[in-house]
Amino acid sequence: MRLSELMKGREVPTVKDQHVTGITADSREVESGYLFAALYGTAVDGRNFIEEAAQKGAVAILTDKSYVAEDCSIPCFREDNPRQVLARLASRFYGAEPKTLSAVTGTNGKTSVAHFTRAIWRAMGFEAASIGTLGVILPDTTLPLNYTTPEPVLLHKMLTYLVGQGIDHAVIEASSHGLDQYRLDGARIISAAFTNLTRDHLDYHHSSEDYLLAKIGLISRVLDQNGTAVLNADAEVYPAFLRAANDRAVKVLTYGRAGEQIKLLNIVPNNAGQLITVDIFGKVQEIQLPLAGEFQVMNALCALGLVIGAGGDAVAATRALAGISNVPGRLELVARLANNATIYVDYAHSPDALETVLEAVRSHGNGRIHVVFGCGGDRDKGKRPEMGRIAGLYADHVIVTDDNPRSEDPARIRAEIIVACPEAQNIPDRRDAIEVAIKGLQSDDILVVAGKGHEEGQVTGTKTVPFNDKSVIQKIVAAEGASDER
């Protein structure tokens, strides 16, 4: 499209109203005909590459108002919020997205909610996809992603691609980083959900208040004016999200034990998962969920709310719940030993997530609870002793090991965890730690290997070594001669 079309509402010199052939915020990707978004980032200042972009053939620049544009040889659009403008330009440029688009935010549960939402839509006969931590998941393939919420140009490329693949329903995981950086502001989100809020990402947001405000942005800013906010009524910060929804007069659907439209009445764990009793829009129903843990019940009800909030039939959506399966790496049962001990893998890497998982598994067994976990390097250091405290409180046997130490000293990370659980074993090598834990399992014990979930690598320094908790567990179990269940 022409630059004047793309930038409608803003003045474009007629002599420079050229065709725009692409958009990027990465100066290395600039080609002739591109609009370059020169954004100020945490690591790189894109404004330093404006001249280079012009030399490469960029036809326009998008940047902030602090940039002095007198010497710029091409049209330069200086905006109060260039990130938000970029998201809207990307939407305008690519021009297509699935007709039903939903999003979910929260500290924990985003991936499971997206997985369940996609599964419910599929069971209802829709062509559905999800975008998030596990990649772009379509019915027959998965495309890799580097971020939970892609930057806006890639996001809208993906949404256009999904439409081309016949996808009419999609759900996006909205990370706090993605919301803070306005990555979703060009998408028409018609149902938006909030799961929960606990400590995480304070290395980026600096304060709990900033973290909360970033999450609330999904409701206060991104959700379509005619959309539905799907809110966890049991969450401590629920009133803040409800206020944001009411301030915009958007529809509200609440779920949980205190929920109105989707009210959880009872949970009975059993060998097949959990039998739940739920009041859904005034009709009490019993549903057998093939999932472990009350938190997964909440995630399933959140997904139900997203589907209904986006216009889905409540009866058909509820019926689909019984057929959903667990998301890989989220309290996933990966092995059962001959002595009936069970081994789970979970992505829990925050204090609340670890507490939730360890509490959840206790209701599914009569033996001791074992946990193997660590904390990532170059991330929020304050949560390390808190996770150690929780592991010591909720597990009978704790092994602290390495989990993506990155550029930090792994021994120091482990020490910062163990200060709060001095009885824990300290085993640096993650495979060794898992093997020791498995060999120590007695009849009916439960082992949770936490922190990495679906991840396929261990990051030490600048190197990533292939490592998958599930594969490692199953190889150790096979070598021990015990049966395994996948």
Side-chain angles (χ1 to χ4, degrees):
M1 59 175 61
R2 287 200 170 275
L3 183 59
S4 56
E5 264 185 287
L6 182 65
M7 305 301 298
K8 61 183 178 183
R10 296 166 176 83
E11 186 177 346
V12 176
T14 304
V15 68
K16 295 187 176 180
D17 188 16
Q18 301 184 52
H19 280 99
V20 178
T21 58
I23 302 174
T24 185
D26 187 337
S27 62
R28 296 167 297 183
E29 296 178 355
V30 173
E31 296 180 14
S32 179
Y34 270 46
L35 178 143
F36 172 53
L39 306 176
Y40 179 80
T42 54
V44 177
D45 187 348
R47 295 170 299 187
N48 294 332
F49 301 94
I50 287 176
E51 186 176 340
E52 177 188 320
Q55 290 173 354
K56 283 183 171 182
V59 297
I61 302 295
L62 169 67
T63 191
D64 63 78
K65 288 196 169 178
S66 69
Y67 178 71
V68 179
E70 280 79 357
D71 297 329
C72 194
S73 59
I74 56 178
C76 183
F77 300 92
R78 300 184 305 128
E79 301 288 340
D80 290 322
N81 190 340
R83 290 186 181 277
Q84 187 176 57
V85 172
L86 174 62
R88 292 169 178 169
L89 294 183
S91 174
R92 190 176 299 161
F93 185 79
Y94 289 100
E97 61 185 35
K99 67 177 184 179
T100 300
L101 202 56
S102 300
V104 55
T105 197
T107 305
N108 304 309
K110 295 186 295 296
T111 300
S112 291
V113 170
H115 177 81
F116 299 151
T117 301
R118 188 183 72 250
I120 293 170
W121 277 331
R122 293 277 292 163
M124 294 170 69
F126 299 116
E127 291 299 311
S130 61
I131 298 174
T133 305
L134 300 182
V136 182
I137 304 180
L138 292 87
D140 301 315
T141 190
T142 298
L143 306 175
L145 280 178
N146 293 324
Y147 300 98
T148 297
T149 308
E151 54 85 18
V153 175
L154 178 58
L155 174 64
H156 286 279
K157 281 183 182 178
M158 286 295 182
L159 293 176
T160 300
Y161 172 79
L162 292 180
V163 172
Q165 297 299 306
I167 300 297
D168 49 25
H169 287 63
V171 56
I172 304 169
E173 293 180 46
S175 69
S176 59
H177 294 67
L179 290 166
D180 185 62
Q181 296 172 15
Y182 299 89
R183 297 177 193 172
L184 288 172
D185 283 53
R188 184 173 179 266
I189 305 296
I190 62 171
S191 68
F194 160 66
T195 59
N196 51 62
L197 192 85
T198 60
R199 178 179 181 133
D200 206 6
H201 301 305
L202 295 191
D203 52 317
Y204 175 88
H205 295 286
H206 304 302
S207 74
S208 298
E209 292 74 20
D210 288 346
Y211 183 45
L212 171 62
L213 286 174
K215 294 289 191 185
I216 286 177
L218 181 62
I219 306 301
S220 65
R221 189 186 73 242
V222 176
L223 177 63
D224 189 83
Q225 186 63 54
N226 297 314
T228 301
V230 180
L231 306 179
N232 177 1
D234 299 345
E236 185 178 348
V237 295
Y238 163 69
F241 281 84
L242 181 62
R243 231 177 358 257
N246 289 338
D247 285 348
R248 296 187 62 209
V250 296
K251 294 188 287 290
V252 174
L253 186 158
T254 62
Y255 69 95
R257 293 188 182 275
E260 292 188 25
Q261 291 76 20
I262 301 176
K263 186 177 183 65
L264 177 61
L265 301 175
N266 194 33
I267 300 175
V268 179
N270 54 41
N271 289 335
Q274 299 170 93
L275 181 67
I276 65 172
T277 306
V278 192
D279 183 328
I280 302 174
F281 292 93
K283 183 179 180 182
V284 176
Q285 303 182 55
E286 284 192 341
I287 305 165
Q288 176 63 48
L289 278 182
L291 309 168
E294 181 171 334
F295 72 100
Q296 286 291 51
V297 173
M298 290 292 285
N299 290 333
L301 297 183
C302 180
L304 177 64
L306 267 183
V307 170
I308 296 171
D313 179 74
V315 174
T318 303
R319 191 183 305 124
L321 282 179
I324 61 178
S325 61
N326 217 346
V327 61
R330 269 59 176 184
L331 202 56
E332 182 181 5
L333 177 62
V334 298
R336 187 186 299 275
L337 307 189
N339 63 3
N340 204 41
T342 50
I343 306 171
Y344 291 87
V345 165
D346 193 82
Y347 190 53
H349 57 277
S350 68
D352 179 73
L354 186 62
E355 178 180 341
T356 299
V357 166
L358 293 177
E359 273 194 310
V361 296
R362 193 165 287 281
S363 64
H364 289 268
N366 299 314
R368 299 171 78 229
I369 305 297
H370 305 247
V371 63
V372 174
F373 81 103
C375 288
D378 303 330
R379 298 295 186 268
D380 180 8
K381 296 182 181 182
K383 69 182 182 182
R384 293 171 188 172
E386 181 64 8
M387 290 184 71
R389 183 189 68 81
I390 286 167
L393 187 63
Y394 288 92
D396 303 296
H397 176 219
V398 180
I399 298 179
V400 175
T401 190
D402 291 345
D403 181 352
N404 296 333
R406 300 183 178 89
S407 71
E408 287 195 64
D409 176 8
R412 184 178 180 86
I413 296 173
R414 295 193 305 277
E416 290 173 352
I417 299 169
I418 290 174
V419 71
C421 54
E423 301 301 317
Q425 284 185 265
N426 185 342
I427 303 178
D429 184 86
R430 193 173 180 91
R431 190 200 179 282
D432 290 348
I434 293 171
E435 184 170 23
V436 169
I438 291 174
K439 287 183 175 179
L441 293 177
Q442 301 298 313
S443 177
D444 295 321
D445 282 0
I446 295 174
L447 167 62
V448 176
V449 180
K452 298 183 72 62
H454 64 284
E455 290 181 0
E456 296 289 341
Q458 175 84 307
V459 184
T460 304
T462 58
K463 281 184 62 177
T464 300
V465 177
F467 195 99
N468 177 268
D469 282 348
K470 178 178 178 178
S471 297
V472 168
I473 291 165
Q474 291 178 339
K475 286 176 183 176
I476 293 170
V477 168
E480 291 291 307
S483 62
D484 88 35
E485 180 177 317
R486 304 178 190 185

